[in-house]
């Protein structure tokens, strides 16, 4: 089954940090760009960040630029999203998705344009609140 499992979410105070993980089991992420997406209550799912298959290029939504950092460890079949200086507006369910390397990170800003090879999972909930 082509699946990715998100983890690392939780409750954190504004200004705090959290690191999310996106892991694959039974298949390799070596040939895929990985994007992080989030969906807040009442809002459409949006692209947050993306990293190319070799990790040579990274992209960020303006809303998280300078605060979030995406990285990957292909040997562990895992992609990470380090989130610092968290704000209440970062509260959302976070999802990850894989796109074939030939596409790079094209379309990551819109989940409908991101050609995910995996089925969207349950995601991991991030709540930023006092």
């Amino acid at each position: 089954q082509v699946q990715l499992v998100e983890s690392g979410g939780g409750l954190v105070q504004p200004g705090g940090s959290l690191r999310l993980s996106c892991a694959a089991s039974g298949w390799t992420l070596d040939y895929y760009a990985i994007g992080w997406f989030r969906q807040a209550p009442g809002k459409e799912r949006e692209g947050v960040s993306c990293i190319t298959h070799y990790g040579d290029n990274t992209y960020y939504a303006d809303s998280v630029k300078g605060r979030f950092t995406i990285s990957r460890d292909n040997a562990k079949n895992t992609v990470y999203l380090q989130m610092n200086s968290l704000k209440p507006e970062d509260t959302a369910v976070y999802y990850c998705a894989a796109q074939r390397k030939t596409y790079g990170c094209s379309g990551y800003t819109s989940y409908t344009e991101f050609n995910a090879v995996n089925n969207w999972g349950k995601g991991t909930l991030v709540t930023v609140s006092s």
Side-chain angles (χ1 to χ4, degrees):
Q1 188 80 355
V2 181
Q3 295 183 76
L4 291 173
V5 179
E6 303 93 343
S7 63
L11 175 64
V12 64
Q13 294 185 343
S17 298
L18 215 54
R19 188 174 80 158
L20 306 184
S21 296
C22 173
S25 181
W27 58 293
T28 181
L29 297 181
D30 290 2
Y31 313 112
Y32 303 90
I34 303 297
W36 279 100
F37 302 80
R38 67 185 182 186
Q39 188 165 24
K43 295 185 178 180
E44 192 169 294
R45 191 171 301 181
E46 64 177 348
V48 176
S49 184
C50 184
I51 186 167
T52 52
H53 76 286
Y54 204 66
D56 54 326
N57 286 291
T58 58
Y59 305 87
Y60 302 92
D62 289 341
S63 59
V64 307
K65 197 171 297 181
R67 299 187 297 117
F68 291 11
T69 302
I70 190 170
S71 63
R72 67 188 300 158
D73 186 342
N74 285 354
K76 294 182 178 179
N77 265 338
T78 304
V79 173
Y80 306 96
L81 184 66
Q82 178 66 47
M83 306 184 294
N84 298 325
S85 301
L86 284 163
K87 304 174 180 179
E89 49 263 46
D90 293 319
T91 296
V93 176
Y94 285 71
Y95 305 86
C96 60
Q99 180 169 257
R100 292 183 176 87
K101 67 178 183 179
T102 53
Y103 293 100
C105 282
S106 179
Y108 91 95
T109 57
S110 176
Y111 84 96
T112 58
E113 298 298 323
F114 197 77
N115 302 121
V117 299
N118 63 296
N119 294 317
W120 294 96
K122 296 180 179 180
T124 185
L125 176 63
V126 172
T127 302
V128 185
S129 176
S130 297

